């Protein structure tokens, strides 16, 4: 699976190491050394994957992700950082990063993360339930894996890649309860540097986008002690009646 990978790293030795490993796997690699250069490079030619160091001159990695997502760019972002606190990790994911590795890291594990992200972003995260119609519908909520589109009652909803994969997984099994660990597997397939709170952050952001009252959700429900499920509010109300 060859891809166009943009590496944003101001440490030249580290950048060259990442380049060698990526090129060994057949990827085309571009390297930039500061945050503003990242934005210029993406706008000139959007890559298949961005490997992004957090601590960079001119604009740090968190600001870069914030700008890219504000421009509705959905390229997958793998963040690299020397920061290791959970708050830093969750902030990066909340802004729209897809995966997160702390330094020092194993180059072999980095390549495994790259392969996983490319696989997950180059195909729908969940199997198509009906061959003729891959669109997933749960009441007024519509998830289209092929077009990477979400709508509620005809209103388009913009989702980050991580949010979309969680929503697609839940929509493929309406009323089925998904554990946080199961949803983490949909996100990355690795859990060495992340926690179940990662899923909670994505769910919180999704509720702001698909619920009429995010603090009193009707669609994306918490099943206490287990995880989350997606339901049709109209059907749930009919069952209660």
């Amino acid at each position: 699976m060859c891809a166009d990978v943009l590496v944003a790293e101001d440490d030249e030795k580290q950048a060259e190491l990442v380049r060698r490993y990526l090129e060994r796997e057949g990827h085309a690699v571009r390297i930039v050394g500061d945050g503003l250069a990242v934005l210029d490079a993406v706008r000139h030619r959007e890559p298949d994957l961005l490997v992004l160091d957090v601590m960079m001159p001119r604009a740090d990695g968190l600001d870069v992700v914030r700008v890219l997502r504000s421009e509705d760019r959905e390229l997958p972002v793998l963040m690299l950082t020397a920061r290791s606190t959970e708050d830093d990790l969750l902030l990066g994911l909340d802004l729209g990063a897809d995966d997160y590795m702390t330094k020092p890291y194993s180059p072999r594990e980095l390549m495994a993360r790259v392969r996983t992200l490319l696989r997950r972003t180059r195909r729908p995260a969940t199997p198509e339930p009906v061959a003729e119609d891959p669109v997933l519908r749960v009441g007024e909520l519509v998830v289209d894996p092929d077009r990477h589109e979400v709508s509620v009652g005809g209103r388009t909803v913009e989702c980050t890649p991580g949010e979309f994969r969680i929503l697609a997984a839940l929509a493929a099994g309406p009323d089925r309860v998904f554990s946080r660990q199961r949803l983490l597997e949909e996100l990355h397939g690795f859990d060495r540097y992340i926690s179940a709170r990662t899923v909670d952050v994505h769910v919180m952001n999704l509720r702001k986008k698909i619920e009429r009252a995010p603090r009193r959700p009707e669609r994306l429900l918490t099943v206490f002690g287990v995880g989350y499920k997606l339901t049709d509010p109209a059907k749930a109300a009919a069952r209660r009646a």
Side-chain angles (χ1 to χ4, degrees):
M1 183 184 296
C2 298
D4 176 20
V5 182
L6 180 63
V7 176
E9 171 64 74
D10 63 323
D11 184 322
E12 294 183 3
K13 291 183 178 179
Q14 192 72 24
E16 190 57 35
L17 176 65
V18 174
R19 179 206 291 274
R20 288 202 301 269
Y21 273 85
L22 286 167
E23 290 182 343
R24 189 178 300 171
E25 297 207 358
H27 302 303
V29 182
R30 290 178 286 157
I31 293 178
V32 293
D34 67 73
L36 295 184
V38 178
L39 297 174
D40 289 342
V42 171
R43 290 163 180 164
H44 176 70
R45 187 177 83 240
E46 186 164 316
D48 298 311
L49 173 68
L50 171 59
V51 179
L52 177 65
D53 185 30
V54 171
M55 303 297 290
M56 286 191 302
R58 300 180 75 193
D60 69 20
L62 296 175
D63 287 334
V64 169
V65 173
R66 186 181 289 109
V67 171
L68 292 176
R69 296 315 186 209
S70 73
E71 295 178 349
D72 296 326
R73 297 184 186 274
E74 297 181 349
L75 74 156
V77 178
L78 171 57
M79 298 192 80
L80 308 175
T81 181
R83 301 171 179 173
S84 59
T85 68
E86 187 176 53
D87 287 344
D88 289 329
L89 181 155
L90 293 175
L91 176 58
L93 295 173
D94 194 24
L95 290 173
D98 297 277
D99 204 351
Y100 204 107
M101 290 189 69
T102 55
K103 298 179 179 180
Y105 54 82
S106 160
R108 291 179 61 190
E109 183 178 359
L110 175 62
M111 293 305 103
R113 300 279 190 114
V114 166
R115 288 192 294 271
T116 298
L117 270 178
L118 288 173
R119 283 197 302 269
R120 292 186 182 279
T121 54
R122 289 189 171 190
R123 68 185 185 194
T126 55
E128 297 176 355
V130 180
E132 299 80 15
D133 184 9
V135 177
L136 307 170
R137 295 178 174 85
V138 184
E140 293 186 337
L141 176 69
V142 180
V143 181
D144 188 335
D146 284 351
R147 293 182 173 84
H148 205 279
E149 294 176 349
V150 176
S151 64
V152 179
R155 172 178 60 86
T156 299
V157 175
E158 298 295 337
C159 295
T160 68
E163 292 166 0
F164 184 88
R165 287 196 290 275
I166 284 182
L167 197 59
L170 292 167
D175 294 312
R176 173 186 167 192
V177 181
F178 288 74
S179 68
R180 288 174 174 81
Q181 184 59 42
R182 175 68 183 84
L183 293 174
L184 276 174
E185 292 170 2
E186 286 293 331
L187 283 173
H188 308 306
F190 297 91
D191 61 3
R192 181 175 175 184
Y193 296 109
I194 57 180
S195 72
R197 282 189 59 196
T198 306
V199 173
D200 297 337
V201 170
H202 285 308
V203 167
M204 178 182 67
N205 290 333
L206 281 169
R207 282 175 172 160
K208 294 175 182 177
K209 298 175 180 182
I210 69 173
E211 298 282 5
R212 289 183 297 179
R215 294 180 180 274
R216 298 187 298 278
E218 298 177 319
R219 290 188 173 86
L220 212 175
L221 305 180
T222 299
V223 180
F224 292 101
V226 184
Y228 298 100
K229 70 176 181 179
L230 192 67
T231 192
D232 178 0
K235 288 185 178 179
R239 287 195 296 267
R240 288 194 298 270

